[in-house]
Each structure stands twice: as C-alpha cells, then as structure tokens.
Amino acid sequence: MKGSIILMISATAAKLLGVVFRIPLTNMLGGIGMGYFSCAYSLFMPIYALTVTGISSAVARLTAQSVALGMYSNVAKLRREALILFTAVGLAGSMLILFLAKPFSLYFTGGTEAAAAVTLIAPSVLFGCITAVERGYYEGMSNMYPTAVSQVAEGIIRTVAGLLLCSFVTAHPRTVLRLFSGVTDIRGAAAAAGILGVTLSTAGAVLFFGIIRLFFRVPNGGEHHTMSSRAIAGELFFTALPMGVSALVTNLTAIVDMWTVIWCISRFGSRIEAPTGISASQLPHFIYGSFAGIALTVFSLVPSVTNMLGKGALTCIASARESGDRKALERGTVQALLTSTVIAVPSAAGIFVLSPQILGFLYPRQPDEAALCVAPLRYLMAGMVCLCVSYPLFSMLQAVGKPAAPLKIMLVGTAVKLIFNLLLIPFMGVDGAALSTSVSYVFILTKALWIYIRASGVRLGFSHFGKVLYAGAMCGGSAYLTACAAERFELPLFAIICGSAAVGGTVYLLFLRFLSASLKSCSCGD
C-alpha cells in the first residue's frame, strides 16, 4: 500500500502537469493543430505500449525474486541484460515510427502536415524503454521513489519545453516557414514543437536515472549464482510481452477513433457547422482534433490515477489466494473495487453536470472546440467509471491466475468499440464515438468482473456500490443546482466550478456517511 500511495501521488502530480501542458497547448493549436498532435500520438502510443508497458513489471518481478534470495550478483546482471535487450527493442520501435511517419500522416489526415510531429516523437520509444528498465529495477528493490520522482521530472520538462517551443513557433510563423520549406501549415510546425517537448522529457528521464545511478549501488555479498543471459532474456521477454500486447490493444482505440471519426464525418457529413476559418474539407479533422485533444484529455484524468491501485491490489490478492485466506481475498477485492468506485463516481458526476463550465474555463481561447466537446464529454462519463474500476480488476485477474484474460477482454472490447463507432457516428457524429467508448468499457468491466468472480470464488455484496452510486447522484444534483444558482449572479467560471464542487463533494460525503450508518444499523437489527 505504501508503494501504491507513493506511485499514486506521483501519478496525480504527473497528470496535473499533463493537464497544465495539454490545456495551453490546445488553446494555442486549436482543433486542426490538435488533430496533427493527436495523429502523432495515435501512432506513437500503440508502439510505445507494445514495447514499453510490460518492461517495468517484468524487471521488477525478477529483481525482487533475486533480492529475496540474496542473489545480488544476479540483480546487477539482470539490469545489464535488460538494458541491452530493451534498448534494442526501443530502437526498433523508434525506427518503425520514423518509417511510417509520412504514409501514416497521409493516410489518416489526407496530407503530410502531421509527419513532422510523428517523426519528432519517434525517439521517445527508445528513451521510454531505457527508463522502464531503470524504474523496474528500483521497484524490484522496493524503492518507489526513483519512479515517482522521474515521473514528476518528466512531466515538468514536457510542460516547460513543449509550451515554450510551441509558443516560439506560433509567435514566429514566417521565420519557421522560411527555415523549413517542407512545412506549409504553421499549425503542423507548432504541433511538432509541442511533440518535441514530449521527446525531451523522456530524454530527461534517462538522464535522471543516469545521475542517480552514481549514488545507488547494488548490495554486495549474498549468493553469487547468476542466471544465464539466455534465461534472463527469455524470462523478461515472455513476462513483458503479454502485458505489452494488452496495452497495445487498449491503445488501438485511439486509432479506431481517428479513422472512424474522420472517415465517417467526411462521408456522411456532420450536424456541426464549420466555424469561421475552417473549410468544409478541414471540418472532420477539426472535429477529431477537438474530441481527442479536449474531451479525451479530460476523460483520462481520473483513470490514470486509479490505475495505480492495481499495483497494491495485485500483491494483496495474490498473497490472500496463495495462503487460502478466503476472507482476506474477499476483503481485498471489495477494498480495491470500492476505492476505485468511490473516487470515480463523484468525479464523473461532477464532470457531467459541470462540463460546459469546466471546458469553458480550461479552454477560453478555443470556444468553438470547447462547445463541440460538451456533449461528447458527458457521454464518456459512464465509460470513465467503468474504466476506473477495470484497471485494478485487471491486476487482480493476474493475481488469481488469469493473466491472459485482460488481453482477450480488451480485444473484444475494441471490436465492440469499432462496431458501435461505425453504427453511431453516421447518425450522431462525434457524440457517437463518445457513446461507443462508454458502451465498450461497460462491456469490458462486466466481462472482467464475471471472469474474476468465477476464478476467485469470491462473493461481492453490491449494496456498498449501490450506495456509492446513489451518493454520486446526489453529488451531481447538488452541484448542478449550485451552478445554476451561481450563474444567476453572473459569477466567474472558476468560482462557479469551485463552489459547485465544494457543495457536491460535501453532499456526497454526507450521504455516504448516512447510508453507511443506515446499513450498519439494519445489519445489527437483523
């Protein structure tokens, strides 16, 4: 739990820095520019997920095993072999992105303006692999602080470098276009500048671990037996690969959205009129860029925090199952799922009722993009709650001997997402993409929960989750009424959001406390 709390705090700080980066960036780039930026991320994230995601866990597991047995020589060898192996993997991933930059940009956006952004993000895969090995090494040594500090440092560099570079490009368009003859749209160059900040942040993380390596040494002594290089490579590869494939499937939804939203709106049209300065041919890219850069950014805030609950849940559930302690297994299951629900439900309720105010406050320089994303953001909230609960559930499935289940579930969930995108977007526009996201995550949570209950044999009492949902509804209702009353007095958006959140949060906590007391009294009476 201590490790989970440390990582959760660092993840929250990193995500806040990400918000600080994304919001001004969106205000500078607009819908079209964010379309170029999101195009780069849509190719980068699946490759990054496949190559990087499972590395930390694989290295951490083998390191922890070696430390537990006092095999400190093996720890040093393991770190060295992992760096060699995954540096090669990262280099291959970076080269793949460089090779696909122009054709990917041309196919998905109809031009090559996003190619510069795609090219500049390619080195991040290599740097990410090296960083993941170092994070896994320290996590395996039960030291979560290097991971936590590196995440925050990475966020700071990304925010500062990305915004400064993007600001320079947008402030000197003639100079940039004159220096780079291949760039015709300054928004493409500005998106590439923002992406360069991302690459510099991953390079900064590598430098950070290079520095702290001078001060942290592997303990001496202990068992001198070491595994062969082939055995280490095999263990690392076959442990990391399933997790990487699962993460790849998760990130395929970004490509599904980019392809279906742009294609369907180009073919079937949109109910949204093109804002001033946006041509009819640019409208699909404007809509997708707004949806990906604004609605999906806000949508991902809370799940990125609850994701860290899975690390603590995995250890707890695995220990209880191994020892045959059924009560501890059920208690750990309820605690992990209920904690995610308690965090996700009021967040979703608040974002749902306050979405116009939140988006208007966060994106004051892009009112057209913000207005376009109000309805999609509301459609995404049910999916956000399900995703928040699914993250720890996937870790718990691994703990009860179902490591392949998350991959299979996500594959089917992605297929559900694609089918509903094609069915709904022609009639609902980008709202259909948001609704299909929620439908897919409802399916994913339902299926994962069903498999977990069958595998673990636990019995879940859903009364606790029901009272959280009821309290969340009261939270949203009170926040909405407060916002309506505050708007009559023409208060600033920030005051409306803070006041409504304070009232909604207070009502939520009061109802939770009241319902918990009522449930206990009923139990005592029975």
Side-chain angles (χ1 to χ4, degrees):
M1 288 303 296
K2 179 183 177 182
S4 293
I5 291 171
I6 292 171
L7 293 178
M8 185 179 272
I9 292 172
S10 69
T12 303
K15 190 49 98 171
L16 288 175
L17 288 167
V19 172
V20 173
F21 172 60
R22 280 272 191 157
I23 292 172
L25 187 71
T26 304
N27 284 319
M28 285 189 278
L29 295 178
I32 299 294
M34 284 305 296
Y36 299 144
F37 186 91
S38 299
C39 176
Y41 256 92
S42 296
L43 176 61
F44 164 72
M45 285 306 297
I47 296 175
Y48 184 86
L50 178 63
T51 55
V52 176
T53 300
I55 295 176
S56 293
S57 297
V59 174
R61 184 176 72 84
L62 292 181
T63 301
Q65 289 177 350
S66 297
V67 170
L69 297 173
M71 298 168 59
Y72 299 118
S73 297
N74 195 61
V75 171
K77 184 176 181 179
L78 171 66
R79 185 187 200 180
R80 184 172 60 253
E81 296 293 335
L83 282 172
I84 295 172
L85 173 64
F86 291 115
T87 295
V89 171
L91 185 60
S94 295
M95 295 302 295
L96 180 61
I97 293 178
L98 287 173
F99 177 75
L100 294 175
K102 283 190 176 180
F104 186 84
S105 173
L106 184 63
Y107 182 76
F108 282 101
T109 67
T112 59
E113 296 297 337
V118 178
T119 300
L120 286 177
I121 205 171
S124 297
V125 178
L126 172 60
F127 296 142
C129 285
I130 297 172
T131 302
V133 171
E134 293 294 322
R135 286 173 175 168
Y137 166 75
Y138 288 107
E139 289 171 13
M141 300 282 286
S142 299
N143 184 1
M144 302 298 180
Y145 291 104
T147 296
V149 175
S150 68
Q151 286 178 337
V152 176
E154 198 171 335
I156 293 172
I157 296 172
R158 179 179 62 240
T159 302
V160 175
L163 294 181
L164 286 178
L165 290 169
C166 189
S167 298
F168 176 82
V169 171
T170 53
H172 303 85
R174 293 183 180 178
T175 303
V176 173
L177 293 177
R178 187 167 58 248
L179 291 174
F180 301 96
S181 57
V183 178
T184 58
D185 188 344
I186 194 61
R187 291 170 294 191
I195 286 291
L196 182 56
V198 176
T199 300
L200 291 175
S201 71
T202 57
V206 173
L207 179 61
F208 168 80
F209 279 108
I211 293 173
I212 66 170
R213 191 168 184 173
L214 300 174
F215 302 97
F216 288 90
R217 300 289 182 181
V218 178
N220 295 320
E223 174 62 52
H224 292 286
H225 172 74
T226 60
M227 299 170 62
S228 68
S229 298
R230 185 174 180 178
I232 290 175
E235 286 281 349
L236 289 172
F237 184 77
F238 289 110
T239 302
L241 184 61
M243 299 176 68
V245 174
S246 298
L248 168 64
V249 173
T250 302
N251 284 279
L252 286 178
T253 57
I255 294 181
V256 168
D257 274 332
M258 183 171 66
W259 173 65
T260 53
V261 170
I262 293 176
W263 183 80
C264 288
I265 292 177
S266 299
R267 184 176 180 85
F268 298 102
S270 172
R271 297 173 297 172
I272 301 172
E273 295 185 4
T276 304
I278 304 296
S279 65
S281 61
Q282 291 177 321
L283 183 60
H285 303 283
F286 172 82
I287 291 174
Y288 167 73
S290 301
F291 175 66
I294 295 178
L296 292 181
T297 297
V298 177
F299 163 79
S300 64
L301 293 178
V302 181
S304 65
V305 175
T306 60
N307 183 27
M308 295 301 164
L309 291 171
K311 292 181 179 288
L314 188 149
T315 305
C316 174
I317 299 301
S319 299
R321 186 171 184 268
E322 198 67 28
S323 62
D325 191 340
R326 189 179 186 84
K327 290 185 177 180
L329 182 63
E330 292 187 354
R331 184 169 60 250
T333 299
V334 172
Q335 285 178 347
L337 298 182
L338 194 59
T339 301
S340 299
T341 306
V342 166
I343 295 172
V345 168
S347 302
I351 294 173
F352 182 91
V353 301
L354 299 175
S355 54
Q357 293 85 356
I358 292 172
L359 296 182
F361 172 74
L362 295 178
Y363 303 97
R365 294 174 57 185
Q366 305 297 337
D368 294 324
E369 290 88 336
L372 183 153
C373 290
V374 169
L377 184 58
R378 285 174 167 169
Y379 280 118
L380 285 168
M381 286 303 98
M384 190 189 84
V385 174
C386 294
L387 181 59
C388 286
V389 181
S390 296
Y391 274 142
L393 191 57
F394 284 166
S395 296
M396 291 154 59
L397 281 169
Q398 295 181 19
V400 296
K402 294 288 183 179
L407 172 59
K408 297 176 182 178
I409 294 168
M410 289 302 301
L411 276 172
V412 180
T414 302
V416 171
K417 164 74 174 167
L418 175 60
I419 292 170
F420 275 88
N421 265 22
L422 295 174
L423 291 175
L424 297 177
I425 294 176
F427 302 100
M428 298 177 63
V430 72
D431 295 355
L435 180 57
S436 68
T437 298
S438 286
V439 171
S440 67
Y441 282 125
V442 168
F443 165 81
I444 287 168
L445 175 61
T446 303
K447 185 67 175 178
L449 195 59
W450 182 72
I451 294 175
Y452 178 77
I453 290 174
R454 288 191 61 186
S456 64
V458 301
R459 295 181 180 180
L460 295 179
F462 290 96
S463 59
H464 296 290
F465 299 95
K467 70 182 181 183
V468 172
L469 293 174
Y470 182 79
M474 295 299 102
C475 166
S478 58
Y480 175 75
L481 294 176
T482 304
C484 291
E487 286 181 340
R488 293 183 180 180
F489 294 97
E490 299 182 353
L491 296 177
L493 287 176
F494 183 71
I496 294 174
I497 294 170
C498 291
S500 302
V503 172
T506 302
V507 170
Y508 177 70
L509 294 175
L510 289 174
F511 265 89
L512 275 185
R513 184 175 184 127
F514 172 75
L515 291 171
S516 298
S518 300
L519 190 63
K520 288 180 180 178
S521 63
C522 290
S523 299
C524 291
D526 292 339

